[in-house]
Structures are given as C-alpha cells and as structure tokens.
C-alpha cells in the first residue's frame, strides 16, 4: 500500500521490504505485511544488505542502521559516515560501500561491532558528491552520479598526507579590530578577546578540526572545535599565550602552530 524502495531475502529465508515508512516482513503464505522492527518504523529505507549475521539498512535521515542479533546499531555522521542521507550499498567481503548525498563511505569491519570509515568526495576526484548508485566489479568501484560515472581501484589510498598550514585571520579586543599582531599589550579592562583562524586543506571538504590553547600563569585552556573562531570574555589581568593548529580529514595535524 506504499512505495517500496528495496527488497531483501535474508539468510533465514525472510522477505523484507524497505519502504518510505519503515521495514516490513512479507509473509508469502498469507500475503500479509508486518512491521519488521519497531526501531525502523516511519524511517525511509532505500537499500538493505546482509553480511554474515549483520543486516544493514541505508536510510534517509538516520544514516546506516545495523541489526545484529537483537541489537540495532546506528552508524551516522557522528560516527564518521559521510552523510545521514544514505542510499544504495554494495558488499565487498566484510566491507560495505555506501552511497550518500555527500560522497561515498567505505565501512570496513574489524570485528562484530568494530569498524573504520573512509569517506571519498569530489575533492578526491569523484565527478559529483550526489551518489545515486555504487557497484563493485572485480577490484574496481563504479560510482553513478548525475554528472557521469566515476571509477577507481577499491584499494586506492585517498589519504591526505599534506599538513594544513594554519594562520590567525583576525583579532578583536572589546569588539575592536587589531591590525598589528606583534607585541600585543592592552589595558586591564580590554579583556574581551575574539580570535578568528583558518587552515588550508582543499581535500578536507571543509571538515577541519582545530585545537586551540590559551596559557595564563600556568593555567591552560585547551579544546578541539570545528569552528574557525573562539571568544574569551572577562579575562583576568596577566600575560597570555594563544596558539592554534588544524587537522585535515585524514588526521594529519599542522606542523607549525599559529599564535
């Protein structure tokens, strides 16, 4: 009674229907459709695959759902997936290649629920990040996009080994811009500091992690952020040292700090 996006016969002989409103089990004897699992209710499922004892569901909005035994695991953007809008999938042994609207995710399983994810984007050479289908033929991955077909060897290394240079782009004290960043000295009430910074890495798809550190009289404030700016309010009088570095999508940090 609704749109069916994918079908799958499981290893134990069940016929599953992936729809815009969840996953249903179709009983061939009675012709009835019953909700497969309540966790999938009202979730659009575009593709389904099985690897050994794992069932995978590519969803629009929830990323990749993995059913193993009685447990449902979520593999989404917070876990490293390229996008929560996942589409077609293809299997390579214990690995899964997932098409998304933001590129490809190669999910390599190292154990029952242990895995690593490598994402491939247009910045790595794909014609487009909007992937409609994906297929593995021998050792070649073929990718269908609205701009044509891209293909590459499945063991191709897309690691970005170039350390991103980072620099301070602007400094504001009490909302006033400071142009000369050398030998900075201010009055005790000039204690609201806004610092902007940027790292250059064309292959990181804008996903650069920054780590900043502010040291004052032996006390250190340090944090990681995806933002390219940080603000410190009502700083106590004293001498401060600020530095920042960036990490590209392959985990390579800047060789020199900016500060």
């Amino acid at each position: 009674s609704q749109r069916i996006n994918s079908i799958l016969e499981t290893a134990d002989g069940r016929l599953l229907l992936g729809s815009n409103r969840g996953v249903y089990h179709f009983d061939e004897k009675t012709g009835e459709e019953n909700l497969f699992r309540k966790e999938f209710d009202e979730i659009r499922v575009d593709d389904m695959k099985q690897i050994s004892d794992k069932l995978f569901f590519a969803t629009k909005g929830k990323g990749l759902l993995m059913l193993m035994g009685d447990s449902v695991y979520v593999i989404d953007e917070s876990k490293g997936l390229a996008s929560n809008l996942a589409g077609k999938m293809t299997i390579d042994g214990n690995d899964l290649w997932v098409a998304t609207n933001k590129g490809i995710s190669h999910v390599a399983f190292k154990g029952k629920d242990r895995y690593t994810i490598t994402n491939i984007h247009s910045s790595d050479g794909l014609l487009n990040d909007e992937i409609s289908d994906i297929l593995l033929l021998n050792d070649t991955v073929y990718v269908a996009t609205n701009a044509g077909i891209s293909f590459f060897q499945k063991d191709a290394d897309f690691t970005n080994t170039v350390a991103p240079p980072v620099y301070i782009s602007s400094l504001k004290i009490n909302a006033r811009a400071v142009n000369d960043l050398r030998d900075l000295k201010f009055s005790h009430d000039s204690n609201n500091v806004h610092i902007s910074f940027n790292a250059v890495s064309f292959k990181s798809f804008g996903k650069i992690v920054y780590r900043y550190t502010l040291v004052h009289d032996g006390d250190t404030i340090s944090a990681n952020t995806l933002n390219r700016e940080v603000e410190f309010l009502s700083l106590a009088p004293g001498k401060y040292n600020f530095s920042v570095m960036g990490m590209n999508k392959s985990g390579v940090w800047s060789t020199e700090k900016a500060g």
Side-chain angles (χ1 to χ4, degrees), residues 8-196:
L8 173 69
E9 181 186 6
T10 64
D12 57 2
R14 290 176 294 176
L15 184 62
L16 301 185
L17 313 176
S19 76
N20 281 3
R21 299 187 62 185
V23 178
Y24 292 83
H25 170 224
F26 179 74
D27 190 322
E28 296 178 80
K29 294 182 179 179
T30 65
E32 294 180 348
E33 301 170 15
N34 299 302
L35 188 65
F36 175 57
R37 300 269 305 202
K38 63 180 181 180
E39 294 92 338
F40 301 99
D41 190 22
E42 297 300 326
I43 296 176
R44 174 173 168 173
V45 176
D46 273 15
D47 201 7
M48 301 180 291
K49 291 288 187 287
Q50 181 165 14
I51 301 177
S52 185
D53 61 340
K54 304 181 185 72
L55 285 174
F56 294 94
F57 304 85
T59 77
K60 287 294 191 289
K62 297 289 185 179
L64 190 63
L65 300 180
M66 179 178 72
L67 175 63
M68 187 169 59
D70 289 329
S71 299
V72 176
Y73 301 85
V74 179
I75 304 176
D76 57 11
E77 290 182 21
S78 68
K79 303 292 179 59
L81 201 70
S83 172
N84 289 336
L85 300 178
K88 297 300 181 181
M89 301 179 288
T90 192
I91 297 173
D92 177 24
N94 287 323
D95 293 2
L96 199 64
W97 294 83
V98 185
T100 80
N101 69 323
K102 294 182 180 179
I104 303 166
S105 288
H106 177 202
V107 187
F109 287 89
K110 309 298 183 182
K112 279 192 172 183
D113 54 357
R114 292 171 47 246
Y115 55 86
T116 60
I117 298 179
T118 301
N119 293 320
I120 305 168
H121 305 285
S122 58
S123 58
D124 297 305
L126 296 182
L127 288 173
N128 196 292
D129 283 324
E130 186 79 35
I131 312 300
S132 57
D133 206 351
I134 186 168
L135 174 70
L136 180 68
L137 180 60
N138 297 323
D139 291 331
T140 303
V141 180
Y142 292 88
V143 182
T145 78
N146 58 10
I149 295 177
S150 299
F151 60 93
F152 54 88
Q153 291 296 302
K154 70 174 185 178
D155 57 355
D157 187 5
F158 292 95
T159 303
N160 182 6
T161 60
V162 179
V166 61
Y167 60 92
I168 304 295
S169 55
S170 71
L171 171 67
K172 293 181 180 179
I173 304 296
N174 288 2
R176 295 191 300 271
V178 177
N179 296 321
D180 190 352
L181 303 182
R182 298 169 299 177
D183 300 325
L184 297 173
K185 293 182 180 180
F186 305 100
S187 61
H188 70 280
D189 56 350
S190 297
N191 56 356
N192 295 324
V193 180
H194 184 280
I195 305 173
S196 298

Side-chain angles (χ1 to χ4, degrees), residues 163-164 245 253-257:
M245 57 195 308
W253 286 96
S254 307
T255 54
E256 295 183 5
K257 299 179 180 179

